[in-house]
Amino acid sequence: MKKVNKIKDIRNLVVLVLAMVLLNLLGGAWFFRLDLTTEKRYSLSDNTKELLAGLDNPIDIKVYLKGDLNVDFSKFARSIGELMNEFSIYGGRNIQYQFINPNDGTQKEKKKMREELSEMGLSPQPVFEQSEDGRNTTTHVYPFAVLTLDDIRLPINLLDNIKGFSGAENLNKSIEGLEFKFTDAIRRITLDDKPRIAFLEGHGELDELDVMDITDHLSQYYQVERGAIANDPTILDPYKAIIIAKPQSQFSESDKFAIDQYMMNGGRVLWLVDAVNITLDSLRSASETIGMMADLNIEDQLFKYGVRINPVLIQDIQAAMIPITVSGAGGEPKIVPAPWLYSPLLIPQPDHPISRNMNVVRGEFVSSIDTVNSQLDITRTVLLRTSRYTKVDQVPVFVSLGFVNEKPDRRAFTQSFMPVSIIQEGIFPSVFENRMVPQNMSANAGPVKNRSVPTKMMVVADGDLIKNEVRFKNSNPKIMPLGFDQLSGQTFGNKDFILNAVNYLCDDSGWMDLRARSYTLRLLDKNKVANESLYWKVVNMVLPLLSILILALVFTFYRRYRYRR
């Protein structure tokens, strides 16, 4: 009997071992992962999986978030580690990552590492905290990653710092954007054939220096060119998108026709248009001026596409500062910052991939936008709005720098959340439907298309939104970062807005949808933490021990009852 039982036990053991080996072999050949979170925060998009699986060469990723981190940044680092683990599963050996403590090593080693990070524009970020004893402490972290492919190094900032949000909210929004930031960097570092985009010229648009900063950033994704249409209806065909940045003179009918047919064939257009002729530079030289309506001869074209830029100027209580020269006590002039209501801080749409998780955008002499032709087969989304307290000035409008000395009467600011930028997607009608083709175009123009294929178009009622500041020192131009405000030391969202806009216009695969991911921020109740922390500590320590003790007693009594015979 004992021999039979022994053979049976050996047979069961062999079957168990074989089953485990078979399961391991199947697991190595095929695997699946279950994400039980409501937001699917641990699931990669299909685009990301395809990108990682298609890598030809190994990419080394160094994340500089390691060491003595507070609770929030430890959670942030853990989220990055979880994402890197997912990346390595789908990327295999072509994704190699490591976490580095920039404060580890000898003083010489730490200094060398910080110098290398500084050369890449990565400076430590201060973190202000209050300890349990009430003392304020400041630590510095490096929320950055550096991707390396062969000899190419690409640094990325992993931390979003959005004005008006708490530290916990900013970290949560940073976690939301991790997959997009890493996949965006991988796409940039592995990109061989860049699509072509162009800044349109020939109508007094901003010159190369005025858009130098955004051009440098766009060149990481695209071949950026400039040029005029020159009566050639096919000259725009090679470009994925065109940018019309602050035109100041009229468009000819032939230029309008080329842009129109470019859109009808699927081209994408970013319009940045001033409806009122006025600039801050003209005010600095004359201290006062009159803003007049700009006649660009594109009003009918935009109207046909479903948009009207109103010839008005917007004043907003939520506005940026400008430097003003005043006389000091001793008679010596000095420069002081003053609020300038014609430079509104525009509020981004929080749910769209272009404007999500972005700082406010600085405008300058902004107009409002209306949508028309509601029967068009297009979808519309407002991307930028004014604040709750807005005032509209009709043209002609008198503007003076002396307005900074007047306290605004909030009762006069009766408008709210006026649209300043709109994106439209769908099928557009041609402005040349039932119209003659311009004569100087007819020789090269093919059949006129009256309806477009599905495409995208974006309109911004502020031509200066894309313009960087240029300073001259000893006749040498110095290009300031787009959106950087020297008076406050902060960077507004202008650069991110334009970059996201162009990427969205050119995106046919849904990459920008990753920017729309949203995770629910579940914070602890601070009052309960302060008042009930001891109670919950005791519960968490005693309850598990008590549960084990009860189970042990139940098991003991059961065995005694079962085997008492």
Side-chain angles (χ1 to χ4, degrees), residues 448-496:
V448 178
K449 296 189 68 171
N450 293 327
R451 289 178 64 81
S452 75
V453 298
T455 187
K456 309 172 188 177
M457 182 189 80
M458 181 172 161
V459 180
V460 182
D462 178 17
D464 292 302
L465 191 140
I466 195 174
K467 181 182 179 182
N468 56 249
E469 188 176 350
V470 183
R471 297 179 181 175
F472 288 89
K473 185 176 182 180
N474 299 327
S475 300
N476 295 318
K478 180 181 180 181
I479 307 299
M480 305 302 294
L482 176 60
F484 177 72
D485 181 28
Q486 189 175 16
L487 290 175
S488 63
Q490 66 174 309
T491 301
F492 296 113
N494 297 51
K495 184 188 300 181
D496 291 336

Tab-separated table of all heavy atoms in Angstrom, residues 448-496:
chain	number	residue	atom	x	y	z
A	448	VAL	N	-10.302	72.909	-60.546
A	448	VAL	CA	-10.551	73.527	-59.244
A	448	VAL	C	-11.375	72.574	-58.387
A	448	VAL	O	-12.426	72.086	-58.803
A	448	VAL	CB	-11.288	74.875	-59.410
A	448	VAL	CG1	-11.591	75.484	-58.044
A	448	VAL	CG2	-10.468	75.823	-60.263
A	449	LYS	N	-10.884	72.302	-57.175
A	449	LYS	CA	-11.615	71.459	-56.241
A	449	LYS	C	-12.509	72.347	-55.386
A	449	LYS	O	-12.044	73.341	-54.818
A	449	LYS	CB	-10.657	70.664	-55.338
A	449	LYS	CG	-9.788	69.674	-56.108
A	449	LYS	CD	-9.032	68.761	-55.171
A	449	LYS	CE	-9.962	67.828	-54.437
A	449	LYS	NZ	-9.232	66.781	-53.679
A	450	ASN	N	-13.783	72.011	-55.325
A	450	ASN	CA	-14.738	72.824	-54.580
A	450	ASN	C	-14.930	72.371	-53.138
A	450	ASN	O	-15.503	73.113	-52.337
A	450	ASN	CB	-16.097	72.824	-55.293
A	450	ASN	CG	-16.036	73.540	-56.624
A	450	ASN	OD1	-15.280	74.503	-56.782
A	450	ASN	ND2	-16.801	73.061	-57.597
A	451	ARG	N	-14.490	71.161	-52.826
A	451	ARG	CA	-14.568	70.666	-51.458
A	451	ARG	C	-13.264	69.964	-51.117
A	451	ARG	O	-12.663	69.283	-51.952
A	451	ARG	CB	-15.756	69.698	-51.278
A	451	ARG	CG	-17.103	70.390	-51.321
A	451	ARG	CD	-18.242	69.390	-51.186
A	451	ARG	NE	-18.242	68.718	-49.885
A	451	ARG	CZ	-18.754	69.259	-48.788
A	451	ARG	NH1	-19.275	70.478	-48.826
A	451	ARG	NH2	-18.751	68.594	-47.641
A	452	SER	N	-12.853	70.145	-49.883
A	452	SER	CA	-11.576	69.584	-49.467
A	452	SER	C	-11.724	68.129	-49.052
A	452	SER	O	-12.822	67.651	-48.750
A	452	SER	CB	-11.004	70.382	-48.290
A	452	SER	OG	-11.696	70.073	-47.093
A	453	VAL	N	-10.618	67.431	-49.024
A	453	VAL	CA	-10.556	66.159	-48.314
A	453	VAL	C	-10.482	66.504	-46.822
A	453	VAL	O	-10.247	67.660	-46.457
A	453	VAL	CB	-9.319	65.355	-48.756
A	453	VAL	CG1	-9.403	65.024	-50.234
A	453	VAL	CG2	-8.035	66.117	-48.458
A	454	PRO	N	-10.707	65.559	-45.923
A	454	PRO	CA	-10.614	65.888	-44.490
A	454	PRO	C	-9.261	66.492	-44.137
A	454	PRO	O	-8.211	65.922	-44.442
A	454	PRO	CB	-10.823	64.533	-43.805
A	454	PRO	CG	-11.645	63.750	-44.773
A	454	PRO	CD	-11.170	64.173	-46.127
A	455	THR	N	-9.283	67.654	-43.518
A	455	THR	CA	-8.053	68.365	-43.186
A	455	THR	C	-8.278	69.207	-41.936
A	455	THR	O	-9.345	69.142	-41.305
A	455	THR	CB	-7.586	69.222	-44.371
A	455	THR	OG1	-6.300	69.780	-44.085
A	455	THR	CG2	-8.565	70.338	-44.672
A	456	LYS	N	-7.282	70.017	-41.588
A	456	LYS	CA	-7.347	70.810	-40.360
A	456	LYS	C	-6.886	72.233	-40.652
A	456	LYS	O	-6.014	72.460	-41.500
A	456	LYS	CB	-6.454	70.211	-39.259
A	456	LYS	CG	-6.670	68.734	-39.002
A	456	LYS	CD	-5.618	68.189	-38.050
A	456	LYS	CE	-5.693	66.675	-37.924
A	456	LYS	NZ	-4.626	66.129	-37.058
A	457	MET	N	-7.440	73.164	-39.891
A	457	MET	CA	-7.051	74.567	-40.013
A	457	MET	C	-7.183	75.218	-38.645
A	457	MET	O	-8.144	74.978	-37.921
A	457	MET	CB	-7.945	75.299	-41.014
A	457	MET	CG	-7.575	76.752	-41.220
A	457	MET	SD	-8.812	77.644	-42.200
A	457	MET	CE	-10.052	77.968	-40.946
A	458	MET	N	-6.216	76.031	-38.277
A	458	MET	CA	-6.237	76.692	-36.973
A	458	MET	C	-6.058	78.190	-37.170
A	458	MET	O	-5.230	78.636	-37.978
A	458	MET	CB	-5.125	76.122	-36.086
A	458	MET	CG	-5.059	76.719	-34.705
A	458	MET	SD	-3.870	75.796	-33.693
A	458	MET	CE	-3.569	76.992	-32.400
A	459	VAL	N	-6.830	78.966	-36.415
A	459	VAL	CA	-6.791	80.426	-36.524
A	459	VAL	C	-6.505	81.017	-35.151
A	459	VAL	O	-7.142	80.644	-34.157
A	459	VAL	CB	-8.119	80.983	-37.074
A	459	VAL	CG1	-8.055	82.502	-37.171
A	459	VAL	CG2	-8.422	80.380	-38.441
A	460	VAL	N	-5.548	81.943	-35.103
A	460	VAL	CA	-5.212	82.674	-33.882
A	460	VAL	C	-5.353	84.156	-34.189
A	460	VAL	O	-4.746	84.663	-35.128
A	460	VAL	CB	-3.780	82.367	-33.410
A	460	VAL	CG1	-3.476	83.099	-32.099
A	460	VAL	CG2	-3.579	80.872	-33.242
A	461	ALA	N	-6.168	84.862	-33.397
A	461	ALA	CA	-6.429	86.277	-33.642
A	461	ALA	C	-5.374	87.144	-32.959
A	461	ALA	O	-5.685	88.125	-32.272
A	461	ALA	CB	-7.827	86.644	-33.158
A	462	ASP	N	-4.109	86.772	-33.135
A	462	ASP	CA	-2.994	87.535	-32.592
A	462	ASP	C	-1.730	87.116	-33.323
A	462	ASP	O	-1.221	86.010	-33.121
A	462	ASP	CB	-2.849	87.297	-31.084
A	462	ASP	CG	-1.658	88.041	-30.492
A	462	ASP	OD1	-1.148	88.968	-31.146
A	462	ASP	OD2	-1.244	87.685	-29.371
A	463	GLY	N	-1.218	87.997	-34.174
A	463	GLY	CA	-0.022	87.658	-34.938
A	463	GLY	C	1.242	87.628	-34.113
A	463	GLY	O	2.219	86.972	-34.473
A	464	ASP	N	1.252	88.354	-32.976
A	464	ASP	CA	2.463	88.427	-32.156
A	464	ASP	C	2.621	87.238	-31.221
A	464	ASP	O	3.639	87.138	-30.532
A	464	ASP	CB	2.456	89.713	-31.330
A	464	ASP	CG	2.612	90.952	-32.195
A	464	ASP	OD1	3.627	91.039	-32.912
A	464	ASP	OD2	1.725	91.815	-32.165
A	465	LEU	N	1.659	86.369	-31.167
A	465	LEU	CA	1.728	85.246	-30.236
A	465	LEU	C	2.902	84.324	-30.549
A	465	LEU	O	3.430	83.663	-29.671
A	465	LEU	CB	0.407	84.474	-30.279
A	465	LEU	CG	0.157	83.430	-29.211
A	465	LEU	CD1	-1.296	83.475	-28.743
A	465	LEU	CD2	0.475	82.031	-29.729
A	466	ILE	N	3.344	84.302	-31.803
A	466	ILE	CA	4.453	83.436	-32.223
A	466	ILE	C	5.786	84.184	-32.250
A	466	ILE	O	6.835	83.598	-32.509
A	466	ILE	CB	4.153	82.858	-33.619
A	466	ILE	CG1	5.062	81.677	-33.951
A	466	ILE	CG2	4.248	83.935	-34.696
A	466	ILE	CD1	4.720	80.986	-35.250
A	467	LYS	N	5.766	85.458	-31.943
A	467	LYS	CA	6.953	86.313	-32.101
A	467	LYS	C	7.819	86.308	-30.851
A	467	LYS	O	7.340	86.547	-29.749
A	467	LYS	CB	6.518	87.747	-32.414
A	467	LYS	CG	7.657	88.722	-32.617
A	467	LYS	CD	7.123	90.121	-32.882
A	467	LYS	CE	8.251	91.138	-33.058
A	467	LYS	NZ	7.736	92.508	-33.278
A	468	ASN	N	9.123	85.999	-31.039
A	468	ASN	CA	10.068	86.107	-29.928
A	468	ASN	C	10.693	87.493	-29.912
A	468	ASN	O	10.724	88.198	-30.931
A	468	ASN	CB	11.144	85.029	-30.013
A	468	ASN	CG	11.916	85.035	-31.326
A	468	ASN	OD1	11.776	84.106	-32.120
A	468	ASN	ND2	12.726	86.057	-31.582
A	469	GLU	N	11.179	87.876	-28.755
A	469	GLU	CA	11.823	89.186	-28.638
A	469	GLU	C	13.241	89.109	-29.160
A	469	GLU	O	13.951	88.113	-28.948
A	469	GLU	CB	11.831	89.640	-27.175
A	469	GLU	CG	12.305	91.064	-26.973
A	469	GLU	CD	12.203	91.514	-25.522
A	469	GLU	OE1	11.597	90.781	-24.715
A	469	GLU	OE2	12.735	92.598	-25.205
A	470	VAL	N	13.659	90.150	-29.868
A	470	VAL	CA	15.014	90.235	-30.412
A	470	VAL	C	15.689	91.465	-29.835
A	470	VAL	O	15.160	92.576	-29.944
A	470	VAL	CB	15.010	90.300	-31.950
A	470	VAL	CG1	16.445	90.317	-32.481
A	470	VAL	CG2	14.232	89.142	-32.555
A	471	ARG	N	16.822	91.264	-29.220
A	471	ARG	CA	17.587	92.379	-28.668
A	471	ARG	C	18.913	92.494	-29.402
A	471	ARG	O	19.532	91.493	-29.746
A	471	ARG	CB	17.830	92.182	-27.171
A	471	ARG	CG	16.538	92.152	-26.357
A	471	ARG	CD	16.811	91.927	-24.905
A	471	ARG	NE	15.578	91.870	-24.146
A	471	ARG	CZ	15.515	91.593	-22.857
A	471	ARG	NH1	16.622	91.339	-22.181
A	471	ARG	NH2	14.346	91.561	-22.232
A	472	PHE	N	19.313	93.726	-29.605
A	472	PHE	CA	20.550	93.978	-30.329
A	472	PHE	C	21.594	94.568	-29.380
A	472	PHE	O	21.326	95.524	-28.663
A	472	PHE	CB	20.312	94.933	-31.499
A	472	PHE	CG	19.549	94.300	-32.627
A	472	PHE	CD1	18.167	94.333	-32.650
A	472	PHE	CD2	20.220	93.664	-33.659
A	472	PHE	CE1	17.457	93.750	-33.677
A	472	PHE	CE2	19.520	93.071	-34.698
A	472	PHE	CZ	18.141	93.117	-34.714
A	473	LYS	N	22.766	93.936	-29.365
A	473	LYS	CA	23.885	94.418	-28.574
A	473	LYS	C	25.106	94.448	-29.474
A	473	LYS	O	25.542	93.412	-29.983
A	473	LYS	CB	24.128	93.506	-27.371
A	473	LYS	CG	25.203	94.027	-26.429
A	473	LYS	CD	25.329	93.135	-25.206
A	473	LYS	CE	26.378	93.678	-24.247
A	473	LYS	NZ	26.516	92.819	-23.042
A	474	ASN	N	25.628	95.638	-29.664
A	474	ASN	CA	26.762	95.819	-30.582
A	474	ASN	C	26.425	95.277	-31.975
A	474	ASN	O	27.244	94.626	-32.618
A	474	ASN	CB	28.019	95.135	-30.044
A	474	ASN	CG	28.454	95.691	-28.705
A	474	ASN	OD1	28.282	96.886	-28.433
A	474	ASN	ND2	28.995	94.837	-27.850
A	475	SER	N	25.206	95.576	-32.409
A	475	SER	CA	24.707	95.188	-33.733
A	475	SER	C	24.511	93.689	-33.893
A	475	SER	O	24.203	93.219	-34.989
A	475	SER	CB	25.657	95.692	-34.848
A	475	SER	OG	25.759	97.096	-34.796
A	476	ASN	N	24.691	92.919	-32.820
A	476	ASN	CA	24.478	91.475	-32.886
A	476	ASN	C	23.128	91.134	-32.267
A	476	ASN	O	22.850	91.523	-31.124
A	476	ASN	CB	25.588	90.726	-32.144
A	476	ASN	CG	26.938	90.921	-32.801
A	476	ASN	OD1	27.046	90.892	-34.022
A	476	ASN	ND2	27.974	91.116	-31.991
A	477	PRO	N	22.280	90.419	-33.004
A	477	PRO	CA	20.959	90.094	-32.452
A	477	PRO	C	21.047	88.986	-31.403
A	477	PRO	O	21.780	88.012	-31.563
A	477	PRO	CB	20.170	89.632	-33.679
A	477	PRO	CG	21.210	89.114	-34.617
A	477	PRO	CD	22.449	89.929	-34.378
A	478	LYS	N	20.293	89.155	-30.338
A	478	LYS	CA	20.164	88.123	-29.318
A	478	LYS	C	18.702	87.672	-29.295
A	478	LYS	O	17.813	88.474	-29.039
A	478	LYS	CB	20.587	88.649	-27.941
A	478	LYS	CG	20.460	87.601	-26.844
A	478	LYS	CD	20.871	88.155	-25.494
A	478	LYS	CE	20.736	87.073	-24.403
A	478	LYS	NZ	21.104	87.583	-23.058
A	479	ILE	N	18.486	86.402	-29.568
A	479	ILE	CA	17.135	85.861	-29.645
A	479	ILE	C	16.690	85.414	-28.250
A	479	ILE	O	17.331	84.573	-27.622
A	479	ILE	CB	17.059	84.675	-30.626
A	479	ILE	CG1	17.646	85.072	-31.991
A	479	ILE	CG2	15.635	84.179	-30.758
A	479	ILE	CD1	16.937	86.211	-32.661
A	480	MET	N	15.611	85.998	-27.763
A	480	MET	CA	15.055	85.617	-26.470
A	480	MET	C	14.081	84.446	-26.652
A	480	MET	O	13.431	84.328	-27.693
A	480	MET	CB	14.334	86.793	-25.826
A	480	MET	CG	15.190	88.045	-25.695
A	480	MET	SD	16.695	87.765	-24.720
A	480	MET	CE	15.982	87.433	-23.111
A	481	PRO	N	13.984	83.567	-25.650
A	481	PRO	CA	13.048	82.442	-25.772
A	481	PRO	C	11.616	82.930	-25.939
A	481	PRO	O	11.183	83.881	-25.281
A	481	PRO	CB	13.231	81.690	-24.447
A	481	PRO	CG	14.576	82.109	-23.941
A	481	PRO	CD	14.763	83.518	-24.405
A	482	LEU	N	10.885	82.280	-26.812
A	482	LEU	CA	9.488	82.625	-27.034
A	482	LEU	C	8.681	82.385	-25.756
A	482	LEU	O	8.729	81.313	-25.176
A	482	LEU	CB	8.917	81.782	-28.176
A	482	LEU	CG	7.429	81.953	-28.479
A	482	LEU	CD1	7.105	83.387	-28.849
A	482	LEU	CD2	6.986	81.003	-29.585
A	483	GLY	N	7.959	83.420	-25.336
A	483	GLY	CA	7.135	83.326	-24.144
A	483	GLY	C	7.825	83.722	-22.864
A	483	GLY	O	7.172	83.824	-21.819
A	484	PHE	N	9.138	83.956	-22.904
A	484	PHE	CA	9.863	84.324	-21.676
A	484	PHE	C	9.615	85.784	-21.335
A	484	PHE	O	9.727	86.669	-22.178
A	484	PHE	CB	11.361	84.076	-21.845
A	484	PHE	CG	12.173	84.506	-20.646
A	484	PHE	CD1	12.113	83.777	-19.467
A	484	PHE	CD2	12.965	85.633	-20.697
A	484	PHE	CE1	12.847	84.162	-18.363
A	484	PHE	CE2	13.710	86.042	-19.601
A	484	PHE	CZ	13.655	85.291	-18.424
A	485	ASP	N	9.251	86.024	-20.079
A	485	ASP	CA	8.991	87.378	-19.596
A	485	ASP	C	10.094	87.760	-18.615
A	485	ASP	O	10.177	87.211	-17.510
A	485	ASP	CB	7.630	87.440	-18.907
A	485	ASP	CG	7.304	88.836	-18.399
A	485	ASP	OD1	7.798	89.811	-18.999
A	485	ASP	OD2	6.574	88.952	-17.397
A	486	GLN	N	10.943	88.693	-19.017
A	486	GLN	CA	12.084	89.065	-18.196
A	486	GLN	C	11.659	89.769	-16.909
A	486	GLN	O	12.313	89.640	-15.874
A	486	GLN	CB	13.032	89.971	-18.982
A	486	GLN	CG	14.358	90.227	-18.268
A	486	GLN	CD	15.329	91.022	-19.117
A	486	GLN	OE1	14.930	91.628	-20.106
A	486	GLN	NE2	16.591	91.019	-18.749
A	487	LEU	N	10.532	90.480	-16.949
A	487	LEU	CA	10.095	91.209	-15.761
A	487	LEU	C	9.704	90.269	-14.624
A	487	LEU	O	10.058	90.498	-13.464
A	487	LEU	CB	8.909	92.117	-16.110
A	487	LEU	CG	9.225	93.322	-17.001
A	487	LEU	CD1	7.945	94.062	-17.360
A	487	LEU	CD2	10.192	94.275	-16.297
A	488	SER	N	8.979	89.220	-14.956
A	488	SER	CA	8.521	88.286	-13.928
A	488	SER	C	9.419	87.053	-13.795
A	488	SER	O	9.332	86.331	-12.805
A	488	SER	CB	7.090	87.820	-14.237
A	488	SER	OG	7.048	87.110	-15.465
A	489	GLY	N	10.262	86.821	-14.807
A	489	GLY	CA	11.134	85.655	-14.769
A	489	GLY	C	10.441	84.354	-15.123
A	489	GLY	O	11.051	83.289	-15.062
A	490	GLN	N	9.179	84.404	-15.507
A	490	GLN	CA	8.456	83.188	-15.857
A	490	GLN	C	8.338	83.046	-17.374
A	490	GLN	O	8.512	84.005	-18.119
A	490	GLN	CB	7.068	83.172	-15.222
A	490	GLN	CG	6.123	84.237	-15.756
A	490	GLN	CD	4.718	84.071	-15.194
A	490	GLN	OE1	4.139	82.994	-15.245
A	490	GLN	NE2	4.175	85.151	-14.657
A	491	THR	N	8.053	81.828	-17.784
A	491	THR	CA	7.882	81.538	-19.201
A	491	THR	C	6.427	81.183	-19.461
A	491	THR	O	5.904	80.236	-18.865
A	491	THR	CB	8.782	80.374	-19.638
A	491	THR	OG1	10.154	80.718	-19.389
A	491	THR	CG2	8.610	80.093	-21.118
A	492	PHE	N	5.778	81.958	-20.304
A	492	PHE	CA	4.386	81.687	-20.652
A	492	PHE	C	4.317	80.538	-21.658
A	492	PHE	O	5.346	80.063	-22.157
A	492	PHE	CB	3.724	82.952	-21.211
A	492	PHE	CG	3.647	84.070	-20.207
A	492	PHE	CD1	4.377	85.249	-20.382
A	492	PHE	CD2	2.859	83.954	-19.077
A	492	PHE	CE1	4.309	86.275	-19.454
A	492	PHE	CE2	2.780	84.970	-18.143
A	492	PHE	CZ	3.506	86.136	-18.331
A	493	GLY	N	3.119	80.116	-21.983
A	493	GLY	CA	2.936	78.910	-22.779
A	493	GLY	C	2.976	79.102	-24.280
A	493	GLY	O	2.558	78.190	-25.013
A	494	ASN	N	3.470	80.241	-24.773
A	494	ASN	CA	3.443	80.515	-26.214
A	494	ASN	C	4.167	79.457	-27.039
A	494	ASN	O	3.648	78.960	-28.050
A	494	ASN	CB	4.060	81.885	-26.493
A	494	ASN	CG	3.279	83.014	-25.865
A	494	ASN	OD1	2.962	82.985	-24.673
A	494	ASN	ND2	2.955	84.028	-26.637
A	495	LYS	N	5.382	79.101	-26.600
A	495	LYS	CA	6.173	78.142	-27.376
A	495	LYS	C	5.494	76.777	-27.406
A	495	LYS	O	5.379	76.150	-28.468
A	495	LYS	CB	7.574	78.027	-26.791
A	495	LYS	CG	8.509	77.126	-27.597
A	495	LYS	CD	9.823	76.897	-26.884
A	495	LYS	CE	10.555	78.191	-26.627
A	495	LYS	NZ	11.847	77.986	-25.948
A	496	ASP	N	5.049	76.297	-26.246
A	496	ASP	CA	4.375	75.004	-26.202
A	496	ASP	C	3.107	75.017	-27.044
A	496	ASP	O	2.789	74.024	-27.716
A	496	ASP	CB	4.022	74.635	-24.753
A	496	ASP	CG	5.255	74.321	-23.920
A	496	ASP	OD1	6.277	73.942	-24.514
A	496	ASP	OD2	5.194	74.471	-22.685
